[in-house]
Amino acid sequence: MAKITIPIGGMDCASCAANIERRLKKLAGVQKVNVNYATNRAVVEYDEAATGMPDFKKVIEGLGYTVEMPAEEGAGKADGAHEMGGMEGMHDHEKMAREGEIKELKQRLMWSAVLTLPVLALALPEMLGGLVALEYPEFIMQKMAVLQFFLATPVMYVNREIFTRGFRQLASRMPGMDSLVALGVGTAYAYSVLVGFGFVEGAIYYETAALLLTFIVLGKYLEAIAKGKTSEAIKRLIGLQPKTALVVRGRKEVEIPISEVVVGDVIIVKPGDKIPVDGVVLDGESSVDESMITGESIPVHKRKGMTVIGATINKTGSFRFKATKVGANTMLAQIIKLVEDAQGSKAPIQKLADSVAGYFVQAVIVLALLSFGYWFFIAGQPFIFALTILVSTLIIACPCAMGLATPTAVMIGTGKGAENGILIKDAESLELLHQCKTIVFDKTGTITKGEAVVTDIVPIGMRENELLRLAASAEKKSEHPLAQAVVDEAKKRKIGLTEAKKFNAIPGHGVAAQVGSVRVLIGNLALMKREKVSVVGPAVGKMRALEEDGKTVVVVAAGRRFAGLIAIADTIKESSADAVARLRKMGYESVMITGDNERTAKAIARRAGITRVLAQVLPEDKANEVKKMQAGAGAQGTGKDGRGRANKVAFVGDGINDAPALAQADVGIAVGTGTDVAIESGSIVLVKSDLRDIVTAIQLSSYSMKKIKQNLFWAFFYNAVGIPVAMGALALVTNPPFLLSPVIAGAAMAFSSVSVVSNSLLMRGFKPRN
């Protein structure tokens, strides 16, 4: 299955996007299509054996649009450096295309305005209807129709693209906004030509046709500028990438283009330099400003063995580091990709607008014809009255505002998230997060730092160091943070370890291994019970006391005999208690879920301010616990949602065993220091692993939805009021009948979409509230 992103030129409304989407979906082999009017892109998932780019191009161009340079994913990828270069190339191409569009619209606007002004001046006496004493010489009055024809016709020619595309859309039975304009303006112009050259009697409307086109081009020009501003977050992220790197080649320091850096290169970073790619410090130390990636304003001290992130800025010291990730594999490139994918995705709330937009233009054409028929044939109004109704109805309708309402807010919302170290992968998560009244936290590495240390060793029948040697030897092959703490303690005490054999990790229980001639078990009481190891005596009371102090106690058995206890403590993150307190104040319930026993879990939860705890939950059962919360009303239940869930739940985790729960939750939030699997499963990623960013993400989700609803209300309200007025609704109750001028209708249509985009642009001022 391949995936391709196709930049499309010429889309001017949501109906255009809907038409292209419908046609592409009809192609054999196409699995999924998402055409976004705000980003001017189509994302197509398809079977390469059945269809491909030539078919897509034929469909899109057949509807009257242009196809720009596509970017393909999932098939024959080049190395990371070339991918990043391709990403930059695509963005450069799109930037040039966008700037070219704005320049072309500006030229069309200038020519349209210059040519329309004299047409308007010639028509002014008739328009003012004697209110002002204004007369032209007799020879001008005699040639008035001819003069207006020769001045208005170039305005039609300058904007001929609207007519060619509009009528092509009509011919393909997929009309868009250009079709409405072509019909409305074309009708006014054609009627004026017939009157002006004496074929029929009536009044000429050249100034109406010219003014309408000028207003429409003005609206398109302002909209193009505003749409360009919605993608500023992506532009800023791409601008962070340095152009060159100072690498060690042989014994020389060589400055090379960033695209030539490969994994394993040793790179020198001097004070004030941007770090070119991701890597690990080899020698030297410095403070690094990572605010552009993580949102954290305080510089981070870096020394040997610590990781550095490409595009961050070195402050004072100098160091050398080894490149570990380059090109499309760097954190910056991944962030750009995530933000791009999110900006191109659709929020569930957009479905209504898409459904309406899909048939909006056809409905408007029918309404315009019905209105003309009613006023001319039934109401008995003059032909020119009915014609004005027809033109105004066609012109005032605006599917653009509906198409821009959601995606522009999503683009800015996801961009603001990235600026604050919050990567929102899709529009659905942005919409749902503030609705998740239950936030479930994993314990280890999420609420706690995941930096466990051994605090107590209680041997039974052997020396303390011998117990630690057996346990550490068995745990050495385990990746669990608790296992690492045991191994680290043995290393600290300089205890020699034995190579373990027959190692077996038992999820949710512990590990078993052969250490020398002894079979060692290390884990929880459930493991000991399963293996028929009896844990009795004073050690049980000691174990309870350690757990009530918030420590995790592992039980060690050697040769099926109880050998002792090892207590491990994990420090709570500084941000955990503050984040939970803020969430409580906002009306959100926090729940902690862990495989620890209940006493330890409650002690940790108490320090974090969490009252609801689910303890001794096996990794595979975490997703089931999330499902139970979704099915039941819970403490914060809000009634059934569209998926039959009574409660929307967000899950916050960082480990491999959190991936199923992250996927099951309505919104999965992965902390940035977690495993790649967890980050892949999460629909939101906290780059700097600060739980207070959940509060910021909820605020951003709520604010984005507020703006989307405002935009949709305005888009639907404008059309719901404007179209009936244009059809002559007020003429039914006024005397003389009120008739909406097509010029005013055109101006209203032009500025309706601009107002929606401008409202979304206000989101650029978003700042998290404490």
Side-chain angles (χ1 to χ4, degrees), residues 29-63:
V30 171
Q31 299 295 316
K32 188 178 178 183
V33 183
N34 179 10
V35 181
N36 192 309
Y37 169 47
T39 59
N40 291 325
R41 288 184 184 183
V43 179
V44 186
E45 292 181 26
Y46 63 100
D47 180 358
E48 290 174 287
T51 188
M53 188 58 205
D55 294 333
F56 306 149
K57 187 175 181 183
K58 185 178 178 181
V59 167
I60 294 166
E61 291 181 346
L63 291 171

Side-chain angles (χ1 to χ4, degrees), residues 672-740:
T673 54
T675 65
D676 290 339
V677 177
I679 290 170
E680 185 67 29
S681 300
S683 47
I684 294 177
V685 179
L686 307 182
V687 175
K688 60 177 182 285
S689 188
D690 187 327
L691 296 187
R692 286 171 295 206
D693 284 345
I694 297 172
V695 177
T696 301
I698 289 172
Q699 291 173 358
L700 183 59
S701 168
S702 178
Y703 184 55
S704 299
M705 285 309 300
K706 177 183 173 183
K707 285 296 177 186
I708 288 171
K709 287 174 181 176
Q710 288 173 355
N711 288 346
L712 286 172
F713 171 79
W714 166 246
F716 282 105
F717 177 79
Y718 163 81
N719 284 291
V721 173
I723 292 173
V725 170
M727 289 172 65
L730 294 179
L732 295 170
V733 293
T734 55
N735 190 18
F738 175 82
L739 198 58
L740 182 69

Side-chain angles (χ1 to χ4, degrees), residues 393-465:
T393 304
L394 289 170
I395 294 297
I396 200 167
C398 185
C400 304
M402 288 185 286
L404 291 167
T406 300
T408 51
V410 167
M411 288 173 74
I412 297 173
T414 52
K416 291 303 293 184
E419 285 178 21
N420 287 278
I422 302 162
L423 304 182
I424 302 166
K425 292 186 180 180
D426 55 66
E428 183 174 8
S429 300
L430 183 66
E431 177 179 334
L432 290 179
L433 181 58
H434 77 288
Q435 300 174 29
C436 296
K437 292 298 181 181
T438 302
I439 316 290
V440 183
F441 294 90
D442 179 48
K443 180 182 78 73
T444 306
T446 303
I447 287 177
T448 65
K449 290 181 178 179
E451 299 169 359
V453 292
V454 172
T455 58
D456 302 84
I457 299 175
V458 183
I460 305 293
M462 64 176 66
R463 299 173 72 90
E464 191 174 287
N465 279 7

Side-chain angles (χ1 to χ4, degrees), residues 354-683:
D354 285 349
S355 300
V356 173
Y359 303 97
F360 182 81
V361 174
Q362 295 93 320
V364 169
I365 292 172
V366 171
L367 289 173
L369 292 172
L370 289 174
S371 300
F372 175 87
Y374 170 78
W375 288 108
F376 185 64
F377 294 108
I378 298 174
Q381 291 289 347
F383 177 80
I384 200 64
F385 184 98
L387 183 67
T388 301
I389 291 281
L390 173 74
V391 173
S392 294
T393 304
L394 289 170
I395 294 297
I396 200 167
C398 185
C400 304
M402 288 185 286
L404 291 167
T406 300
T408 51
V410 167
M411 288 173 74
I412 297 173
T414 52
K416 291 303 293 184
E419 285 178 21
N420 287 278
I422 302 162
L423 304 182
I424 302 166
K425 292 186 180 180
D426 55 66
E428 183 174 8
S429 300
L430 183 66
E431 177 179 334
L432 290 179
L433 181 58
H434 77 288
Q435 300 174 29
C436 296
K437 292 298 181 181
T438 302
I439 316 290
V440 183
F441 294 90
D442 179 48
K443 180 182 78 73
T444 306
T446 303
I447 287 177
T448 65
K449 290 181 178 179
E451 299 169 359
V453 292
V454 172
T455 58
D456 302 84
I457 299 175
V458 183
I460 305 293
M462 64 176 66
R463 299 173 72 90
E464 191 174 287
N465 279 7
E466 177 62 10
L467 176 65
L468 185 58
R469 184 188 73 81
L470 290 172
S473 298
E475 293 277 35
K476 193 175 180 183
K477 292 182 180 180
S478 173
E479 295 180 352
H480 197 284
L482 299 182
Q484 191 59 48
V486 174
V487 174
D488 288 346
E489 182 64 22
K491 285 180 181 177
K492 194 165 113 179
R493 298 190 183 195
K494 297 181 180 177
I495 297 172
L497 302 183
T498 305
E499 182 70 26
K501 296 177 182 178
K502 298 180 183 178
F503 175 83
N504 180 27
I506 307 161
H509 290 79
V511 301
Q514 190 78 21
V515 180
S517 60
V518 182
R519 184 170 185 263
V520 177
L521 299 170
I522 178 166
N524 54 24
L525 286 174
L527 176 63
M528 300 302 144
K529 186 178 180 181
R530 195 179 89 166
E531 296 291 329
K532 297 182 172 56
V533 175
S534 177
V535 181
V536 294
V540 176
K542 179 67 174 173
M543 184 177 182
R544 186 179 292 111
L546 290 168
E547 288 173 345
E548 286 174 351
D549 197 29
K551 296 172 183 178
T552 300
V553 181
V554 292
V555 184
V556 184
R560 292 193 178 276
R561 291 182 61 187
F562 175 43
L565 307 170
I566 298 177
I568 301 162
D570 189 1
T571 313
I572 289 181
K573 289 178 183 174
E574 292 82 358
S575 63
S576 296
D578 189 24
V580 170
R582 292 189 195 184
L583 288 169
R584 189 188 306 113
K585 196 170 183 181
M586 293 166 65
Y588 293 85
E589 180 192 27
S590 296
V591 180
M592 191 180 84
I593 190 166
T594 178
D596 268 345
N597 65 79
E598 195 166 346
R599 281 190 294 271
T600 302
K602 284 186 174 179
I604 296 288
R606 195 163 48 246
R607 292 177 192 170
I610 296 174
T611 55
R612 188 176 172 192
V613 179
L614 298 175
Q616 293 177 300
V617 179
L618 295 175
E620 60 268 28
D621 290 334
K622 288 181 180 178
N624 290 331
E625 291 296 336
V626 171
K627 192 181 285 188
K628 285 178 188 175
M629 290 184 223
Q630 290 169 329
Q636 302 287 340
T638 55
K640 299 243 176 192
D641 67 6
R643 286 178 275 188
R645 296 171 180 172
N647 191 30
K648 289 189 175 69
V649 176
F651 185 92
V652 190
D654 78 320
I656 291 173
N657 59 25
D658 294 331
L662 286 165
Q664 172 62 39
D666 294 275
V667 179
I669 303 174
V671 293
T673 54
T675 65
D676 290 339
V677 177
I679 290 170
E680 185 67 29
S681 300
S683 47

Side-chain angles (χ1 to χ4, degrees), residues 122 140-153 196-197 204 206:
L122 289 172
I140 291 180
M141 296 302 291
Q142 290 174 350
K143 303 292 183 182
M144 179 68 75
V146 177
L147 284 170
Q148 288 193 34
F149 170 78
F150 281 109
L151 287 167
T153 300
F197 288 94
I204 55 174
Y206 287 121

